[in-house]
Amino acid sequence: YWIGIEIWSPYIELYNLYNLYDKIINQDVRTLNWDNVPNIDVTIAGDVLEHMTKEEAIILVDKILQKSKYLVISIPICHMPQTSEDYSNPYEAHVKDNWSHTEVIETWTNYIVNFFVRGKKSKIGIYWLTNENIN
């Protein structure tokens, strides 16, 4: 069962999200009432955390990991500015546009169980997180 969350309603139609997910929620993931979300096996936050402050990202990751066994994050790990004008979408601006691999590791060191970074000049990092003990 796939649930998608999209803040910008025109993207729901543009990318045909109603046909890609069993349920689509048109809301800001930061204001979502996570108590109304069923327990989840895996959550994917791709192209999400750079659109908020670091503090908001930390809070969101904590909320997700209270509901989801695993969280996969895909995030730019270099200076990557982007404005809302880049896509005619007020939510496309990168609020924190300078995450680094080191900062991601330091921020979520207690949750990260694995990661993939292609090399020292990689622009995207992929991180696998959980709040459960992995042996």
Side-chain angles (χ1 to χ4, degrees), residues 13-97:
E13 181 96 14
L14 180 65
Y15 296 110
N16 201 21
L17 299 184
Y18 284 116
N19 289 327
L20 296 176
Y21 295 94
D22 297 299
K23 179 178 182 179
I24 190 76
I25 300 169
N26 180 208
Q27 188 173 344
D28 185 334
V29 71
R30 294 169 293 187
T31 63
L32 183 68
N33 182 350
W34 287 89
D35 292 334
N36 295 334
V37 175
N39 288 339
I40 304 164
D41 292 323
V42 177
T43 300
I44 301 169
D47 191 27
V48 174
L49 301 180
E50 66 273 21
H51 297 277
M52 57 190 71
T53 66
K54 181 176 181 175
E55 294 75 20
E56 290 171 323
I58 290 169
I59 291 167
L60 179 60
V61 166
D62 288 343
K63 285 181 180 180
I64 290 172
L65 286 174
Q66 289 174 15
K67 281 292 187 174
S68 184
K69 185 173 181 178
Y70 296 104
L71 169 61
V72 179
I73 296 171
S74 175
I75 188 170
I77 52 170
C78 63
H79 183 241
M80 190 175 287
Q82 180 174 295
T83 68
S84 57
E85 290 82 29
D86 290 336
Y87 293 90
S88 300
N89 173 344
Y91 302 104
E92 280 290 348
H94 286 181
V95 174
K96 177 155 175 42
D97 63 4

Side-chain angles (χ1 to χ4, degrees), residues 75-81 97-101 121-124:
I75 188 170
I77 52 170
C78 63
H79 183 241
M80 190 175 287
D97 63 4
N98 62 345
W99 282 98
S100 69
H101 171 67
K121 293 187 178 185
S122 182
K123 293 182 179 182
I124 302 292

